[in-house]
């Protein structure tokens, strides 16, 4: 099991909970148990007692399914070993061994309360118990239960899938022990990677209250306006910063069969005058779809389906009026309607639809503060993290203009919320003196505070200027003698201009700082080299320029490696190709748990050219599992690079030796920069650059062995002829190629081998075809 270094955890801190019990092993329960295990914390997973020989079959089967699920709930399959299964008939008393109990059973109040009465008799008093309910208020859950139980009780509402969705809503009652709230919040933040939002004790809390209203309104109004599902998902998607799944694609994803249950629950809990009731009745089509097994992606399809008749795969969509499926037709918005402002102003039925749905949704959200949240920040955060909106409702109102929204609402006959009236011609957020302030229900402005231990580059951008900058990168002073370098190109790709500002930054840090962190607030650390520029240069036969970039990249990366100060790479999201190579050249890595790292150059017909082959070979030859001469490490590196393997988590990157045992993993994305800074400072005292490695390569015999393996794959149809060519170049780099054995190959020699192979491959037509295909489709081409 990999050991995760928690936020600020280079001091060896341990979590507040040493063992957690999860009751309910459905999709959510198993997912929550997996995420707790991902943090290295043992879990007791209980469910109903099963008939048959295995009384724990329900929980055991849930873990078995989780290990096969894609996307994977487990960051490392070994984490599953931290989960002990049981059943509530035989093993409920074991909750006394646990420091926190999470109930994740079916959304039925009677069943939950029956379980709570049993838990009250066996759980250790003074330990928190929480429910993962998505709609039921806490007051209803604990009604009639003893005071000692209600003091220990709170709601922890995770979002599905628990590993990937960052939002966690916490709801407390009037007598909930504040110490429990602090302990659960800290654990979920630092160890489970959640962004915690405090919600009021109301039906649906924050995200589901607004999000289900939005989906119900969008579906209902779509039928009234005679729109197709493709039109709706285009209108309601990207123009408003909402994922391209839109509404109907999202309903397919979460499960259409859940909607009637959520709708019924919300209708029963909300007051008669709540605007939710205007859109709460399910479409008649929904019942027919569920009855026919069309429950979304987990069923036979949903509003969209894939028709495999005739051996092909055709995407189809349902007619909202007739229920018939037909081939999906791509819908493009009219010119000028590609953003929120243009769409809302459009004088056609698409604009009318957008005004009605988004007007109702934004008005509803604004009317619910302070009922569901003390402030607008909690509402925006919940929708951004729970429904993946780029901007929450109030930030979206700022984009549209509060006064314009008020006029739009009056035009549509929708009541203007008091909060929108109060902000008038102003904004809900303002940046002043480097501090973001939010408009409050009291009419005042209140600073938006970061949690302790959270620092983001956007805060430095608000408060000052970078030490160095260009159009492609910037160097920031993040305090305590630590500098931070960020790339600012599209997808943080590397080109000559990035190398230039990075080279200047290395020199500047050497004179003025103690350490350097490589980091970005963007979703992805780096997608690697700028393939578009490479393709342009290749089509112009500008081989000299390409060679210059390869040589420059090698020199800059080695300058980082041998700088007189420690360098810490802090990747998150994708770190591919050149992005992976720069991580490999850092003294240490503090990676976000969701880091997808790999040397993927072979996927476009190239080999790593900026030192990645040598760095991986150096890592593997030091590992005891690949000891025993030059061939075992060469074979493992060859397999990883030739197949363009990418880690599916930071834990897997450690198994791949991209990360070392001494490197750290941060679970909460917002804490990554702070953790990387702590790690960098820990390396400062007595720092010396690493010694330059020398390599003992396997020579011609080793290359022959690797070539034979690839030829076998070619005979099986797994490798194309160009794959064989690319693999041959890679094998030459990793073995030294032409000699019986090669002693004392220097790092410079390895760089020359990479450089030569890279330049030869980029001049080949099949490689250029692969690059062009990747640029056009985003997918590798199999020649």
């Amino acid at each position: 099991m990999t050991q995760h270094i928690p936020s600020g955890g280079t001091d060896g801190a341990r979590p507040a909970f040493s063992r957690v019990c999860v009751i309910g092993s459905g999709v959510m329960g198993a997912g929550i148990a997996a995420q707790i295990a991902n943090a290295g914390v043992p879990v007791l997973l209980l469910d109903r007692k099963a008939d048959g020989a295995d009384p724990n079959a329900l929980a055991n089967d849930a873990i078995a399914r989780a290990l096969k699920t894609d996307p994977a709930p487990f960051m490392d399959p070994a984490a599953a070993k931290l989960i002990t299964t049981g059943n509530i008939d035989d093993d409920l008393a074991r909750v006394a061994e646990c420091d926190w109990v999470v109930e994740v059973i079916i959304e039925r109040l009677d069943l939950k309360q029956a379980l709570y009465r049993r838990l009250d008799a066996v759980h250790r008093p003074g330990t928190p118990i929480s429910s993962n309910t998505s709609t039921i208020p806490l007051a209803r859950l604990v009604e009639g239960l003893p005071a000692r139980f209600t003091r220990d009780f709170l709601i922890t509402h995770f979002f599905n899938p628990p590993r990937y969705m960052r939002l966690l809503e916490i709801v407390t009652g009037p007598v909930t022990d504040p110490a429990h709230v602090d302990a659960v919040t800290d654990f979920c933040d630092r160890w489970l990677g959640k962004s915690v939002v405090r919600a009021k004790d109301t039906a649906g809390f924050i995200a589901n209250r607004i999000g289900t209203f939005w989906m119900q309104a969008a579906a209902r109004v779509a039928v009234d306006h005679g729109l197709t599902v493709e039109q709706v998902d285009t209108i309601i998607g990207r123009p408003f910063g909402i994922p391209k799944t839109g509404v109907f694609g999202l309903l397919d994803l979460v499960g259409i069969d859940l909607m009637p249950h959520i709708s019924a629950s919300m209708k029963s809990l909300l007051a008669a005058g709540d605007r939710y009731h205007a859109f709460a009745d399910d479409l008649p089509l929904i019942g027919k779809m569920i009855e026919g097994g069309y429950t979304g992606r987990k069923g036979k399809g949903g509003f969209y389906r894939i028709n495999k008749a005739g051996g092909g795969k055709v995407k189809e969509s349902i007619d909202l009026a007739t229920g018939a499926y037909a081939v999906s037709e791509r819908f493009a918005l009219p010119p000028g309607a590609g953003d929120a402002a243009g769409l809302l102003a459009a004088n056609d039925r698409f604009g009318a639809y957008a005004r009605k749905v988004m007007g109702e949704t934004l008005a509803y959200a604004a009317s619910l503060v302070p009922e569901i949240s003390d402030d607008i920040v909690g509402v925006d955060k919940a929708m951004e993290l729970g429904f993946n909106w780029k901007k929450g409702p109030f930030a979206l109102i700022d984009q549209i203009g509060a006064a314009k929204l008020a006029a739009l609402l009056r035009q549509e006959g929708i009541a203007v919320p008091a909060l929108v009236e109060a902000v008038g011609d102003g904004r809900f957020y303002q940046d002043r003196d480097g501090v973001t302030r939010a408009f409050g229900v009291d009419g005042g402005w209140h600073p938006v505070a970061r949690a302790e231990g959270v620092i983001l580059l956007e805060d430095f951008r608000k408060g000052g200027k970078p030490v160095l900058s260009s159009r492609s990168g910037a160097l920031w002073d993040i305090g305590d003698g630590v500098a931070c370098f960020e790339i600012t190109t599209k997808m943080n790709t590397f080109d000559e201009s990035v190398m230039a500002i990075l080279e200047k930054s290395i020199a500047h840090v050497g004179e003025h700082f103690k350490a350097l962190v490589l980091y970005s607030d963007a979703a992805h650390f780096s997608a690697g080299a700028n393939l578009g520029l490479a393709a342009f240069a290749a089509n112009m036969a500008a081989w000299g320029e390409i060679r210059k970039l390869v040589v420059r990249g090698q020199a800059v990366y080695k300058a980082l490696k041998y700088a007189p100060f420690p360098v810490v790479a802090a990747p998150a999201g994708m770190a591919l190709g050149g992005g992976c190579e720069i991580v490999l050249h850092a003294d240490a890595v503090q990676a976000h748990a969701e880091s997808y790292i790999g040397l993927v150059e072979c996927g476009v017909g190239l080999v790593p050219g900026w030192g990645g082959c040598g760095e991986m070979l150096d890592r593997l030859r030091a590992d005891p599992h690949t000891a025993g001469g030059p061939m075992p490490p060469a074979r493992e590196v060859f397999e990883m690079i030739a197949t363009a393997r990418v880690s599916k988590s930071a834990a897997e990157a450690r198994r791949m030796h991209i990360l070392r045992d001494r490197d750290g993993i941060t679970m909460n994305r917002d804490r990554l920069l702070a953790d990387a800074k702590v790690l960098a400072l820990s390396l400062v005292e007595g720092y010396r650059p690493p010694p330059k490695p020398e390599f003992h390569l396997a020579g011609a015999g080793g290359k022959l062995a690797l070539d034979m393996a690839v030829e076998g794959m070619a005979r099986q149809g797994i490798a194309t002829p160009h794959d064989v060519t690319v693999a041959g170049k890679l094998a030459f780099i990793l073995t030294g190629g032409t000699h019986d054995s090669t002693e004392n190959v220097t790092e410079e020699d390895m760089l020359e081998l990479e450089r030569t192979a890279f330049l030869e491959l980029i001049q080949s037509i099949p490689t250029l075809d692969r690059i062009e295909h990747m640029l056009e489709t985003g997918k590798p081409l199999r020649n």
Side-chain angles (χ1 to χ4, degrees), residues 2 580 584 595-600 616 619-620 623 636-637 639-641 643-660:
T2 57
C580 175
L584 294 172
S595 291
Y596 316 119
I597 317 177
L599 296 168
V600 297
M616 281 306 306
R619 275 165 162 72
L620 266 295
D623 186 82
E636 188 160 339
V637 175
E639 181 181 342
M640 185 185 84
I641 298 177
T643 58
R645 184 180 167 196
V646 176
S647 73
K648 294 181 180 178
S649 67
E652 186 176 8
R654 181 173 275 150
R655 289 207 316 274
M656 293 166 64
H657 301 280
I658 293 171
L659 302 187
R660 296 149 294 194

mmCIF file of all heavy atoms in Angstrom, residues 2 580 584 595-600 616 619-620 623 636-637 639-641 643-660:
data_model
loop_
_atom_site.group_PDB
_atom_site.id
_atom_site.type_symbol
_atom_site.label_atom_id
_atom_site.label_comp_id
_atom_site.label_asym_id
_atom_site.label_seq_id
_atom_site.Cartn_x
_atom_site.Cartn_y
_atom_site.Cartn_z
ATOM 1 N N THR A 2 0.634 2.155 -0.900
ATOM 2 C CA THR A 2 1.413 3.382 -0.922
ATOM 3 C C THR A 2 1.084 4.237 0.286
ATOM 4 O O THR A 2 -0.029 4.251 0.774
ATOM 5 C CB THR A 2 1.115 4.192 -2.197
ATOM 6 O OG1 THR A 2 -0.271 4.451 -2.239
ATOM 7 C CG2 THR A 2 1.518 3.431 -3.429
ATOM 8 N N CYS A 580 5.784 15.077 -18.260
ATOM 9 C CA CYS A 580 6.305 14.001 -17.417
ATOM 10 C C CYS A 580 7.818 14.139 -17.267
ATOM 11 O O CYS A 580 8.364 13.953 -16.165
ATOM 12 C CB CYS A 580 5.947 12.652 -18.021
ATOM 13 S SG CYS A 580 6.639 11.231 -17.152
ATOM 14 N N LEU A 584 10.266 14.264 -13.932
ATOM 15 C CA LEU A 584 11.358 13.325 -13.685
ATOM 16 C C LEU A 584 12.667 14.029 -13.344
ATOM 17 O O LEU A 584 13.538 13.438 -12.697
ATOM 18 C CB LEU A 584 11.567 12.432 -14.912
ATOM 19 C CG LEU A 584 10.430 11.468 -15.266
ATOM 20 C CD1 LEU A 584 10.701 10.791 -16.598
ATOM 21 C CD2 LEU A 584 10.251 10.433 -14.172
ATOM 22 N N SER A 595 -3.218 12.479 -10.435
ATOM 23 C CA SER A 595 -2.199 12.865 -11.419
ATOM 24 C C SER A 595 -2.056 11.732 -12.421
ATOM 25 O O SER A 595 -1.874 10.573 -12.034
ATOM 26 C CB SER A 595 -0.852 13.133 -10.743
ATOM 27 O OG SER A 595 -0.905 14.294 -9.952
ATOM 28 N N TYR A 596 -2.128 12.087 -13.700
ATOM 29 C CA TYR A 596 -2.088 11.092 -14.771
ATOM 30 C C TYR A 596 -0.817 11.364 -15.574
ATOM 31 O O TYR A 596 -0.795 12.233 -16.454
ATOM 32 C CB TYR A 596 -3.352 11.187 -15.616
ATOM 33 C CG TYR A 596 -4.595 11.333 -14.731
ATOM 34 C CD1 TYR A 596 -5.424 12.450 -14.805
ATOM 35 C CD2 TYR A 596 -4.896 10.368 -13.777
ATOM 36 C CE1 TYR A 596 -6.529 12.581 -13.970
ATOM 37 C CE2 TYR A 596 -5.992 10.495 -12.944
ATOM 38 C CZ TYR A 596 -6.806 11.605 -13.039
ATOM 39 O OH TYR A 596 -7.888 11.732 -12.202
ATOM 40 N N ILE A 597 0.226 10.610 -15.251
ATOM 41 C CA ILE A 597 1.571 10.938 -15.701
ATOM 42 C C ILE A 597 2.109 9.822 -16.591
ATOM 43 O O ILE A 597 1.929 8.635 -16.291
ATOM 44 C CB ILE A 597 2.529 11.122 -14.496
ATOM 45 C CG1 ILE A 597 1.851 11.935 -13.386
ATOM 46 C CG2 ILE A 597 3.812 11.799 -14.914
ATOM 47 C CD1 ILE A 597 2.699 12.090 -12.130
ATOM 48 N N GLY A 598 2.790 10.193 -17.671
ATOM 49 C CA GLY A 598 3.386 9.172 -18.521
ATOM 50 C C GLY A 598 4.154 9.754 -19.690
ATOM 51 O O GLY A 598 3.929 10.894 -20.107
ATOM 52 N N LEU A 599 5.074 8.952 -20.204
ATOM 53 C CA LEU A 599 5.838 9.297 -21.401
ATOM 54 C C LEU A 599 5.090 8.703 -22.585
ATOM 55 O O LEU A 599 5.172 7.509 -22.867
ATOM 56 C CB LEU A 599 7.261 8.728 -21.296
ATOM 57 C CG LEU A 599 8.099 9.307 -20.151
ATOM 58 C CD1 LEU A 599 9.372 8.495 -19.931
ATOM 59 C CD2 LEU A 599 8.440 10.768 -20.415
ATOM 60 N N VAL A 600 4.354 9.550 -23.292
ATOM 61 C CA VAL A 600 3.391 9.079 -24.297
ATOM 62 C C VAL A 600 3.871 9.308 -25.730
ATOM 63 O O VAL A 600 3.106 9.133 -26.678
ATOM 64 C CB VAL A 600 2.032 9.775 -24.102
ATOM 65 C CG1 VAL A 600 1.439 9.410 -22.743
ATOM 66 C CG2 VAL A 600 2.167 11.303 -24.220
ATOM 67 N N MET A 616 14.150 7.643 -16.486
ATOM 68 C CA MET A 616 13.419 6.444 -16.080
ATOM 69 C C MET A 616 14.367 5.260 -15.899
ATOM 70 O O MET A 616 14.214 4.470 -14.962
ATOM 71 C CB MET A 616 12.344 6.091 -17.118
ATOM 72 C CG MET A 616 11.083 6.919 -17.023
ATOM 73 S SD MET A 616 10.297 6.950 -15.387
ATOM 74 C CE MET A 616 10.113 5.217 -15.019
ATOM 75 N N ARG A 619 15.991 5.552 -12.577
ATOM 76 C CA ARG A 619 15.097 5.179 -11.483
ATOM 77 C C ARG A 619 14.988 3.661 -11.349
ATOM 78 O O ARG A 619 15.047 3.105 -10.250
ATOM 79 C CB ARG A 619 13.688 5.756 -11.714
ATOM 80 C CG ARG A 619 13.489 7.187 -11.231
ATOM 81 C CD ARG A 619 12.218 7.745 -11.834
ATOM 82 N NE ARG A 619 11.709 8.906 -11.142
ATOM 83 C CZ ARG A 619 12.253 10.117 -11.164
ATOM 84 N NH1 ARG A 619 13.370 10.316 -11.864
ATOM 85 N NH2 ARG A 619 11.703 11.118 -10.509
ATOM 86 N N LEU A 620 14.787 2.985 -12.472
ATOM 87 C CA LEU A 620 14.546 1.542 -12.429
ATOM 88 C C LEU A 620 15.782 0.743 -12.050
ATOM 89 O O LEU A 620 15.687 -0.285 -11.387
ATOM 90 C CB LEU A 620 14.029 1.066 -13.787
ATOM 91 C CG LEU A 620 12.515 0.989 -13.963
ATOM 92 C CD1 LEU A 620 11.915 -0.058 -13.044
ATOM 93 C CD2 LEU A 620 11.836 2.315 -13.756
ATOM 94 N N ASP A 623 16.079 0.207 -8.409
ATOM 95 C CA ASP A 623 15.031 -0.519 -7.709
ATOM 96 C C ASP A 623 15.429 -1.984 -7.547
ATOM 97 O O ASP A 623 15.872 -2.627 -8.513
ATOM 98 C CB ASP A 623 13.727 -0.428 -8.508
ATOM 99 C CG ASP A 623 12.571 -1.049 -7.763
ATOM 100 O OD1 ASP A 623 11.991 -0.362 -6.894
ATOM 101 O OD2 ASP A 623 12.266 -2.220 -8.037
ATOM 102 N N GLU A 636 11.767 -3.034 -18.500
ATOM 103 C CA GLU A 636 10.589 -2.416 -17.883
ATOM 104 C C GLU A 636 10.353 -1.010 -18.417
ATOM 105 O O GLU A 636 9.208 -0.620 -18.675
ATOM 106 C CB GLU A 636 10.748 -2.393 -16.359
ATOM 107 C CG GLU A 636 9.482 -1.952 -15.657
ATOM 108 C CD GLU A 636 9.429 -2.360 -14.193
ATOM 109 O OE1 GLU A 636 10.139 -3.293 -13.800
ATOM 110 O OE2 GLU A 636 8.654 -1.733 -13.446
ATOM 111 N N VAL A 637 11.414 -0.237 -18.584
ATOM 112 C CA VAL A 637 11.266 1.108 -19.145
ATOM 113 C C VAL A 637 10.764 1.019 -20.581
ATOM 114 O O VAL A 637 9.889 1.788 -21.007
ATOM 115 C CB VAL A 637 12.602 1.875 -19.080
ATOM 116 C CG1 VAL A 637 12.477 3.230 -19.787
ATOM 117 C CG2 VAL A 637 13.033 2.092 -17.636
ATOM 118 N N GLU A 639 8.917 -1.316 -21.976
ATOM 119 C CA GLU A 639 7.494 -1.664 -22.008
ATOM 120 C C GLU A 639 6.617 -0.467 -21.666
ATOM 121 O O GLU A 639 5.589 -0.232 -22.299
ATOM 122 C CB GLU A 639 7.219 -2.809 -21.029
ATOM 123 C CG GLU A 639 5.772 -3.257 -21.019
ATOM 124 C CD GLU A 639 5.517 -4.375 -20.034
ATOM 125 O OE1 GLU A 639 6.482 -5.039 -19.602
ATOM 126 O OE2 GLU A 639 4.340 -4.583 -19.687
ATOM 127 N N MET A 640 7.025 0.322 -20.667
ATOM 128 C CA MET A 640 6.229 1.463 -20.241
ATOM 129 C C MET A 640 6.159 2.530 -21.331
ATOM 130 O O MET A 640 5.093 3.043 -21.652
ATOM 131 C CB MET A 640 6.817 2.066 -18.963
ATOM 132 C CG MET A 640 5.983 3.193 -18.378
ATOM 133 S SD MET A 640 6.764 3.971 -16.958
ATOM 134 C CE MET A 640 7.847 5.129 -17.784
ATOM 135 N N ILE A 641 7.313 2.867 -21.925
ATOM 136 C CA ILE A 641 7.346 3.947 -22.908
ATOM 137 C C ILE A 641 6.766 3.495 -24.248
ATOM 138 O O ILE A 641 6.015 4.232 -24.891
ATOM 139 C CB ILE A 641 8.787 4.472 -23.080
ATOM 140 C CG1 ILE A 641 9.307 5.044 -21.759
ATOM 141 C CG2 ILE A 641 8.835 5.546 -24.167
ATOM 142 C CD1 ILE A 641 10.748 5.528 -21.819
ATOM 143 N N THR A 643 4.479 1.408 -24.907
ATOM 144 C CA THR A 643 3.019 1.298 -24.870
ATOM 145 C C THR A 643 2.354 2.608 -24.475
ATOM 146 O O THR A 643 1.131 2.664 -24.297
ATOM 147 C CB THR A 643 2.581 0.199 -23.880
ATOM 148 O OG1 THR A 643 3.107 0.497 -22.577
ATOM 149 C CG2 THR A 643 3.101 -1.162 -24.329
ATOM 150 N N ALA A 644 3.149 3.687 -24.314
ATOM 151 C CA ALA A 644 2.633 5.014 -23.947
ATOM 152 C C ALA A 644 1.766 4.935 -22.690
ATOM 153 O O ALA A 644 0.709 5.558 -22.604
ATOM 154 C CB ALA A 644 1.854 5.637 -25.109
ATOM 155 N N ARG A 645 2.237 4.174 -21.711
ATOM 156 C CA ARG A 645 1.452 3.942 -20.499
ATOM 157 C C ARG A 645 1.375 5.205 -19.655
ATOM 158 O O ARG A 645 2.384 5.877 -19.427
ATOM 159 C CB ARG A 645 2.083 2.810 -19.691
ATOM 160 C CG ARG A 645 1.286 2.415 -18.461
ATOM 161 C CD ARG A 645 1.969 1.288 -17.716
ATOM 162 N NE ARG A 645 1.405 1.109 -16.394
ATOM 163 C CZ ARG A 645 1.997 0.413 -15.439
ATOM 164 N NH1 ARG A 645 3.171 -0.169 -15.673
ATOM 165 N NH2 ARG A 645 1.427 0.294 -14.262
ATOM 166 N N VAL A 646 0.181 5.515 -19.170
ATOM 167 C CA VAL A 646 -0.067 6.683 -18.324
ATOM 168 C C VAL A 646 -0.645 6.201 -17.000
ATOM 169 O O VAL A 646 -1.559 5.363 -16.980
ATOM 170 C CB VAL A 646 -1.044 7.663 -19.001
ATOM 171 C CG1 VAL A 646 -1.373 8.833 -18.084
ATOM 172 C CG2 VAL A 646 -0.465 8.163 -20.324
ATOM 173 N N SER A 647 -0.139 6.716 -15.905
ATOM 174 C CA SER A 647 -0.676 6.345 -14.598
ATOM 175 C C SER A 647 -2.114 6.833 -14.467
ATOM 176 O O SER A 647 -2.462 7.904 -14.958
ATOM 177 C CB SER A 647 0.175 6.942 -13.475
ATOM 178 O OG SER A 647 -0.037 8.343 -13.376
ATOM 179 N N LYS A 648 -2.937 6.058 -13.789
ATOM 180 C CA LYS A 648 -4.317 6.457 -13.542
ATOM 181 C C LYS A 648 -4.484 7.106 -12.182
ATOM 182 O O LYS A 648 -5.607 7.416 -11.766
ATOM 183 C CB LYS A 648 -5.232 5.242 -13.678
ATOM 184 C CG LYS A 648 -5.273 4.695 -15.102
ATOM 185 C CD LYS A 648 -6.214 3.504 -15.218
ATOM 186 C CE LYS A 648 -6.234 2.986 -16.657
ATOM 187 N NZ LYS A 648 -7.118 1.803 -16.786
ATOM 188 N N SER A 649 -3.389 7.317 -11.495
ATOM 189 C CA SER A 649 -3.379 8.011 -10.204
ATOM 190 C C SER A 649 -1.931 8.242 -9.830
ATOM 191 O O SER A 649 -1.011 7.659 -10.431
ATOM 192 C CB SER A 649 -4.064 7.173 -9.117
ATOM 193 O OG SER A 649 -3.296 6.006 -8.842
ATOM 194 N N ALA A 650 -1.719 9.072 -8.823
ATOM 195 C CA ALA A 650 -0.352 9.252 -8.325
ATOM 196 C C ALA A 650 0.159 7.974 -7.697
ATOM 197 O O ALA A 650 1.356 7.672 -7.765
ATOM 198 C CB ALA A 650 -0.320 10.399 -7.318
ATOM 199 N N ALA A 651 -0.737 7.206 -7.073
ATOM 200 C CA ALA A 651 -0.321 5.934 -6.479
ATOM 201 C C ALA A 651 0.214 4.994 -7.545
ATOM 202 O O ALA A 651 1.233 4.316 -7.343
ATOM 203 C CB ALA A 651 -1.499 5.291 -5.746
ATOM 204 N N GLU A 652 -0.439 4.964 -8.702
ATOM 205 C CA GLU A 652 0.064 4.120 -9.783
ATOM 206 C C GLU A 652 1.361 4.677 -10.353
ATOM 207 O O GLU A 652 2.254 3.921 -10.740
ATOM 208 C CB GLU A 652 -0.973 3.980 -10.898
ATOM 209 C CG GLU A 652 -0.530 2.995 -11.968
ATOM 210 C CD GLU A 652 -1.560 2.758 -13.044
ATOM 211 O OE1 GLU A 652 -2.583 3.465 -13.069
ATOM 212 O OE2 GLU A 652 -1.345 1.841 -13.862
ATOM 213 N N ALA A 653 1.492 6.002 -10.391
ATOM 214 C CA ALA A 653 2.749 6.605 -10.851
ATOM 215 C C ALA A 653 3.907 6.171 -9.961
ATOM 216 O O ALA A 653 5.040 6.011 -10.426
ATOM 217 C CB ALA A 653 2.630 8.123 -10.865
ATOM 218 N N ARG A 654 3.625 5.962 -8.682
ATOM 219 C CA ARG A 654 4.675 5.470 -7.784
ATOM 220 C C ARG A 654 5.030 4.023 -8.122
ATOM 221 O O ARG A 654 6.199 3.646 -8.123
ATOM 222 C CB ARG A 654 4.217 5.602 -6.334
ATOM 223 C CG ARG A 654 5.248 5.152 -5.325
ATOM 224 C CD ARG A 654 4.798 5.456 -3.912
ATOM 225 N NE ARG A 654 5.130 6.823 -3.539
ATOM 226 C CZ ARG A 654 4.439 7.550 -2.681
ATOM 227 N NH1 ARG A 654 3.348 7.062 -2.120
ATOM 228 N NH2 ARG A 654 4.816 8.768 -2.373
ATOM 229 N N ARG A 655 4.036 3.205 -8.441
ATOM 230 C CA ARG A 655 4.325 1.825 -8.836
ATOM 231 C C ARG A 655 5.103 1.778 -10.146
ATOM 232 O O ARG A 655 5.879 0.855 -10.385
ATOM 233 C CB ARG A 655 3.022 1.026 -8.993
ATOM 234 C CG ARG A 655 2.322 0.725 -7.694
ATOM 235 C CD ARG A 655 1.469 -0.548 -7.805
ATOM 236 N NE ARG A 655 0.700 -0.618 -9.026
ATOM 237 C CZ ARG A 655 -0.504 -0.076 -9.203
ATOM 238 N NH1 ARG A 655 -1.071 0.600 -8.216
ATOM 239 N NH2 ARG A 655 -1.134 -0.198 -10.344
ATOM 240 N N MET A 656 4.887 2.776 -10.994
ATOM 241 C CA MET A 656 5.605 2.841 -12.267
ATOM 242 C C MET A 656 7.003 3.440 -12.106
ATOM 243 O O MET A 656 7.732 3.567 -13.083
ATOM 244 C CB MET A 656 4.801 3.682 -13.262
ATOM 245 C CG MET A 656 3.489 3.052 -13.690
ATOM 246 S SD MET A 656 2.388 4.232 -14.549
ATOM 247 C CE MET A 656 3.356 4.618 -16.011
ATOM 248 N N HIS A 657 7.339 3.877 -10.878
ATOM 249 C CA HIS A 657 8.634 4.484 -10.540
ATOM 250 C C HIS A 657 8.797 5.896 -11.091
ATOM 251 O O HIS A 657 9.890 6.457 -11.037
ATOM 252 C CB HIS A 657 9.804 3.602 -11.010
ATOM 253 C CG HIS A 657 9.784 2.224 -10.411
ATOM 254 N ND1 HIS A 657 10.227 1.962 -9.144
ATOM 255 C CD2 HIS A 657 9.329 1.052 -10.917
ATOM 256 C CE1 HIS A 657 10.070 0.672 -8.872
ATOM 257 N NE2 HIS A 657 9.518 0.103 -9.930
ATOM 258 N N ILE A 658 7.714 6.476 -11.623
ATOM 259 C CA ILE A 658 7.767 7.892 -11.974
ATOM 260 C C ILE A 658 7.881 8.705 -10.693
ATOM 261 O O ILE A 658 8.631 9.682 -10.623
ATOM 262 C CB ILE A 658 6.517 8.284 -12.785
ATOM 263 C CG1 ILE A 658 6.543 7.592 -14.154
ATOM 264 C CG2 ILE A 658 6.426 9.797 -12.958
ATOM 265 C CD1 ILE A 658 5.258 7.742 -14.943
ATOM 266 N N LEU A 659 7.124 8.302 -9.677
ATOM 267 C CA LEU A 659 7.312 8.850 -8.337
ATOM 268 C C LEU A 659 8.141 7.874 -7.520
ATOM 269 O O LEU A 659 8.042 6.665 -7.698
ATOM 270 C CB LEU A 659 5.964 9.078 -7.638
ATOM 271 C CG LEU A 659 4.951 9.991 -8.309
ATOM 272 C CD1 LEU A 659 3.759 10.221 -7.370
ATOM 273 C CD2 LEU A 659 5.563 11.310 -8.712
ATOM 274 N N ARG A 660 8.943 8.418 -6.629
ATOM 275 C CA ARG A 660 9.770 7.593 -5.747
ATOM 276 C C ARG A 660 9.127 7.523 -4.363
ATOM 277 O O ARG A 660 8.199 8.272 -4.055
ATOM 278 C CB ARG A 660 11.178 8.186 -5.656
ATOM 279 C CG ARG A 660 11.916 8.183 -6.994
ATOM 280 C CD ARG A 660 12.880 9.323 -7.125
ATOM 281 N NE ARG A 660 12.210 10.614 -7.159
ATOM 282 C CZ ARG A 660 12.784 11.752 -7.521
ATOM 283 N NH1 ARG A 660 14.040 11.758 -7.908
ATOM 284 N NH2 ARG A 660 12.107 12.884 -7.516
#
